[in-house]
Amino acid sequence: MSFLPSYGREFDNERRSMLKIKDLSIGCYDRQASCKPCIKTLVSDINLVVRPGELVAVVGGSGAGKSLLAHAIMGILSSDFKVYGRIEFKKHHLTHEMLRLHRGRTIVFVPQSVECLDPLLRVGDSVYLAALRTGLARKSAKEFRDRVLKQLDLPVWIQHKYPNQISGGMARRILLACAMVTRAELFIADEPTPGLHAKSAEICVEFLKKRTQQGNSALMISHDIELCLKFADRIAVFHEGSIVETVASNHCTPHHTRVAHPYTRALLLALPSREFKA
């Protein structure tokens, strides 16, 4: 039996969207310009829907703008960036005011950098406080923390360590645990598996997948395309600041009969399992 709590949310994939991105563009001030600062476009015309019960993976080359997309959704870009377009959460415009209400509670972020862990807190306390923040009672928060850490294949003693006393792979799983102990409905995970060996990476993404099977949603940015093909429902392919194609993962067959864009075909052919044929 799964230990994950059920919050009684019924959902209909065809009629509802958890996250909807419409015509999103991101630019930043180019202060190197010879005259007055101008805005340089980094991400343009992004349209994407994540439905309840879905894990959608965003893949593509480094520097394509994938992390910028995640940061824009969470509203954590610096003032040097300008965001255009519309982001909706459960069909409501996700304004800065709404983000302050939802961020860390119903919308949670798994950051890419392990430096995001508080260096002055033991990692067990970080996970415990994340559970408390979403309204769990103290006893329930501790029990839930212990079960999540066990599910992520982390030893009991790790709770008493500080971030600088554990490995990078363990720290990355602690970041995921901080998200998994919440009552979140939408998870935004920015590269949750680098530095993990294959078994641990699968455990992490499978755990995220289980939460979506309860009616929640997840948007996962990853370079591990093989892992995305195994667990994601759909894959959005980023290239040079745009999504060139969104395709069901089960359509990415070795023959690519249902993949339209040349860049998507090249990514799939470049996988080790497909003999680096790109």
Side-chain angles (χ1 to χ4, degrees), residues 144-237:
F144 197 19
R145 173 199 63 191
D146 294 346
R147 289 181 294 182
V148 166
L149 293 179
K150 182 178 180 180
Q151 183 72 10
L152 290 173
D153 200 27
L154 289 166
V156 175
W157 55 260
I158 200 174
Q159 295 183 28
H160 309 291
K161 299 296 183 181
Y162 289 94
N164 69 316
Q165 296 176 313
I166 61 177
S167 69
M170 287 180 168
R172 199 166 292 284
R173 281 178 279 172
I174 291 294
L175 286 172
L176 183 60
C178 289
M180 293 295 103
V181 293
T182 67
R183 304 191 196 200
E185 298 177 55
L186 175 62
F187 299 88
I188 308 294
D190 186 9
E191 294 284 0
T193 60
L196 299 179
H197 58 74
K199 180 184 175 183
S200 294
E202 285 205 5
I203 287 172
C204 290
V205 180
E206 185 177 18
F207 198 16
L208 190 59
K209 178 69 173 178
K210 285 179 180 177
R211 290 300 295 267
T212 67
Q213 290 169 343
Q214 294 182 329
N216 304 299
S217 305
L219 182 71
M220 182 179 75
I221 293 164
S222 179
H223 282 100
D224 194 333
I225 300 176
E226 297 275 21
L227 202 59
C228 294
L229 291 173
K230 185 171 182 178
F231 290 103
D233 298 287
R234 289 184 297 127
I235 294 176
V237 182

Side-chain angles (χ1 to χ4, degrees), residues 107-140:
I107 303 174
V108 296
F109 181 53
V110 182
Q112 182 175 163
S113 174
V114 296
E115 293 180 1
C116 291
L117 286 171
D118 190 333
L120 301 180
L121 277 181
R122 290 181 172 88
V123 296
D125 291 336
S126 291
V127 181
Y128 170 65
L129 290 174
L132 283 181
R133 200 171 293 123
T134 55
L136 289 176
R138 291 185 178 184
K139 183 178 179 181
S140 298

